Amino acid sequence: MASSNQVLVVIVVIAVATVLAAPAAALAADLLVGGSQGWRLDFDYDDWVEENDFIVGDTLVFKYAMGQHNVVQATAASYAACSQGNSLQVWSSGDDRVTLNTSGPWWFFCGVGDHCQDGMKFNINVLPAVVLSPSSPPTRDQGGGDATGLAGAQGGGLAAAGLAAAAGVAVVAALLF
């Protein structure tokens, strides 16, 4: 029969293996569009875009008062014209989440009134997700863009902690078995 130490070692090994098996998920971030005040007029979205990195798997979170705004995912042409005519998708719940599932350019604007013409729009370039080897802990610069989830130093710290734990488990396992 296995001792309680042996059972604990097995549980820890499984937990560490689970963390290390999903590095891309550990880096995914929820990015609050417009920062802490949400999707609104009179905000510099160009600065917000510059402060953030956008990677496949991230989610853009649009928070606003329902009925006052919407979110239009646009083509390059409809973005330039602030036209919903050839839009790809429109959300209007006030708590919209858009998962960035492909790399490349993405365009968004508010289609209510003249909001787009008044600057309530932005475009981003989504980078492909990169799976790093365990010897290279992932890092992520969020530039103060109100990211939540396991991003930035937390993502790198989690991977480094996972590697340290795995090394510790290996030593303990070697001593016990």
Side-chain angles (χ1 to χ4, degrees), residues 65-85:
M66 191 165 93
Q68 292 183 6
H69 303 293
N70 68 6
V71 178
V72 178
Q73 182 184 354
T75 63
S78 61
Y79 175 84
C82 286
S83 169
Q84 293 185 62

Side-chain angles (χ1 to χ4, degrees), residues 29-31 33 54-55 57-62 71-73 89-91 95-101 106-108 122 124 126:
D30 287 349
L31 301 165
V33 177
F54 304 92
I55 299 173
D58 286 351
T59 299
L60 299 180
V61 179
F62 294 84
V71 178
V72 178
Q73 182 184 354
Q89 191 153 354
V90 179
W91 295 269
D95 187 13
D96 305 316
R97 300 177 63 82
V98 180
T99 300
L100 304 172
N101 55 13
W106 290 60
W107 298 271
F108 297 94
F122 67 94
I124 59 175
V126 178

Side-chain angles (χ1 to χ4, degrees), residues 80-123:
C82 286
S83 169
Q84 293 185 62
N86 293 320
S87 62
L88 301 173
Q89 191 153 354
V90 179
W91 295 269
S92 58
S93 75
D95 187 13
D96 305 316
R97 300 177 63 82
V98 180
T99 300
L100 304 172
N101 55 13
T102 60
S103 61
W106 290 60
W107 298 271
F108 297 94
F109 66 86
C110 178
V112 173
D114 289 334
H115 294 185
C116 179
Q117 292 87 341
D118 292 339
M120 198 169 170
K121 65 186 212 172
F122 67 94
N123 65 302

Side-chain angles (χ1 to χ4, degrees), residues 10-79:
V10 169
I11 291 171
V12 171
V13 167
I14 291 170
V16 169
T18 301
V19 168
L20 295 177
L27 286 177
D30 287 349
L31 301 165
L32 184 58
V33 177
S36 62
Q37 295 181 8
W39 185 228
R40 65 192 185 282
L41 286 166
D42 300 320
F43 181 79
D44 191 336
Y45 290 98
D46 291 335
D47 281 351
W48 180 81
V49 167
E50 288 298 316
E51 292 172 356
N52 288 281
D53 295 320
F54 304 92
I55 299 173
V56 169
D58 286 351
T59 299
L60 299 180
V61 179
F62 294 84
K63 297 226 180 236
Y64 55 93
M66 191 165 93
Q68 292 183 6
H69 303 293
N70 68 6
V71 178
V72 178
Q73 182 184 354
T75 63
S78 61
Y79 175 84

Side-chain angles (χ1 to χ4, degrees), residues 122-133:
F122 67 94
N123 65 302
I124 59 175
N125 186 40
V126 178
L127 303 171
V130 176
V131 177
L132 302 173
S133 70

Side-chain angles (χ1 to χ4, degrees), residues 4-15 169-170 172-174 176-177:
S4 61
N5 286 343
Q6 291 170 326
V7 171
L8 179 62
V9 168
V10 169
I11 291 171
V12 171
V13 167
I14 291 170
V169 167
V172 171
L176 291 175
F177 298 110

